[in-house]
Amino acid sequence: MRLPYRLCSGRMGVELRHLRNFLAVAEEGGFTAAGRRLHLAQPTLTRNIRTLEDLLGVRLFDRNTRRTDLTAKGRELRDALAPLLQQLDTVLADIREEETLRLGFSWGLPDGLSAVAARFESETGVEVEFVRCDTPLAGLDTGMVDLGLLRGETLPPGVRGVFLFEEPRVAAVPRPGPLADRAALSWAELAHWPLVVNTVSGTTYPHMWPEGGRPEVGAECRNYDEWLEKVAAGHGVGTAPVSAARRFTHPAVQFVPLSGAPTVRTHLAFPSHGAHPQAARLADDAWRAAAELLTEATG
């Protein structure tokens, strides 16, 4: 039988989705069950089957108000197609095996991202590797990673992605010291103290305060660990997202609640052009997980 050859003819215009839709209807015995299996609306599924029939020039199903039965040609196609698609799926799975998606971060992975990555790996067969990169774009700017966890108000040019969440800031102050025993601090009064600035991956800079009321820079550094040590050494104060304060502590640094401060926005980004084919899917999975957590938190 020369059916497989005819189906591969580019001139015929048959697409893989047409064949997968047909096989689902044939195996499920109806359009409703097949639509659920494929997560397709029934009108879309019906339209795809009609397109396939038109392209082949044969009727594949006998339809009535109660039943959907395969025609003789439909049974012939089903029997030939099932092993072919199974073989194709096996080949595609083998190709994806040992593929790695590198996710860069400068500091502090969000809660739940590891679980998202584990689920993504089980569904796609693509391993997610977390890579610490102390660069302005968490490795995206150097090509070291495929996605980057970026903190900032907006995404920079050349990348796109999803907004995950925003969180309040806390003040980081040396202890012992005059601010360490305070129950809370305000954004405005923090400007009276020297600021420790992480110039590479930080989220706090003097220009964020109004002109005329900006803090002086007490020290600069290039990563979160150096930032924490410089605050501990008394070179100045700083701010960090509340999640960082929970996960990264220092015996000589006190994290104090901070009022009136801008929030820290977190994105998962990938290159606008030439991105890894799986990057958008992982970003989408992370966005959905973040949305679910927000829904649970707000009741």
Side-chain angles (χ1 to χ4, degrees):
M1 183 176 66
R2 299 176 59 197
L3 179 62
Y5 171 80
R6 293 200 300 273
L7 288 177
C8 291
S9 170
R11 290 174 297 177
M12 184 171 290
V14 173
E15 298 178 16
L16 185 59
R17 64 188 174 93
H18 297 142
L19 301 178
R20 290 194 184 280
N21 288 178
F22 161 77
L23 192 59
V25 176
E27 291 178 343
E28 297 292 340
F31 285 79
T32 301
R36 286 196 297 267
R37 168 172 151 183
L38 297 168
H39 305 291
L40 278 180
Q42 190 166 330
T44 301
L45 182 57
T46 300
R47 184 166 59 251
N48 288 343
I49 296 300
R50 285 176 178 165
T51 298
L52 178 61
E53 290 179 325
D54 290 342
L55 290 169
L56 294 177
V58 300
R59 184 171 291 281
L60 299 171
F61 293 100
D62 283 327
R63 305 170 179 84
N64 57 49
T65 56
R66 289 183 295 178
R67 297 182 57 182
T68 300
D69 296 322
L70 286 164
T71 64
K73 291 289 186 181
R75 290 192 295 274
E76 185 180 359
L77 178 59
R78 177 201 60 195
D79 294 343
L81 193 58
L84 289 177
L85 290 185
Q86 184 176 7
Q87 182 180 4
L88 175 62
D89 288 339
T90 300
V91 170
L92 295 178
D94 289 344
I95 288 175
R96 284 197 300 266
E97 199 169 315
E98 298 184 4
E99 179 69 6
T100 299
L101 195 62
R102 299 161 301 168
L103 196 160
F105 68 103
S106 299
W107 46 271
L109 287 172
D111 296 340
L113 189 57
S114 296
V116 171
R119 186 167 62 247
F120 175 86
E121 290 176 351
S122 69
E123 293 175 353
T124 65
V126 177
E127 180 185 356
V128 179
E129 179 183 356
F130 293 106
V131 183
R132 175 167 173 175
C133 301
D134 291 322
T135 74
L137 298 186
L140 285 177
D141 41 352
T142 62
M144 293 177 62
V145 299
D146 304 299
L147 299 98
L149 190 73
L150 305 182
R151 292 177 171 91
E153 188 63 27
T154 59
L155 288 175
V159 302
R160 59 191 178 96
V162 297
F163 165 69
L164 297 180
F165 54 86
E166 60 184 344
E167 54 184 326
R169 298 172 187 263
V170 292
V173 301
R175 67 177 181 187
L179 301 180
D181 294 328
R182 292 281 299 274
L185 291 166
S186 72
W187 178 254
E189 67 180 308
L190 210 61
H192 300 306
W193 298 84
L195 189 67
V196 178
V197 178
N198 177 351
T199 60
V200 175
S201 58
T203 62
T204 312
Y205 301 93
H207 68 77
M208 299 171 69
W209 279 265
E211 192 172 353
R214 293 172 178 168
E216 296 181 357
V217 175
E220 292 184 346
C221 58
R222 297 181 57 82
N223 59 58
Y224 187 89
D225 295 327
E226 292 177 1
W227 173 83
L228 203 57
E229 292 297 340
K230 286 185 180 291
V231 172
H235 293 297
V237 300
T239 81
V242 293
S243 61
R246 289 197 305 267
R247 301 181 69 174
F248 302 97
T249 60
H250 192 290
V253 175
Q254 180 70 37
F255 289 102
V256 182
L258 186 61
S259 63
T263 58
V264 181
R265 294 171 61 86
T266 299
H267 302 80
L268 190 56
F270 49 91
S272 299
H273 304 286
H276 190 290
Q278 294 280 9
R281 173 170 177 174
L282 179 57
D284 229 30
D285 288 354
W287 173 80
R288 283 196 297 270
E292 289 171 4
L293 286 174
L294 179 61
T295 301
E296 291 175 5
T298 57

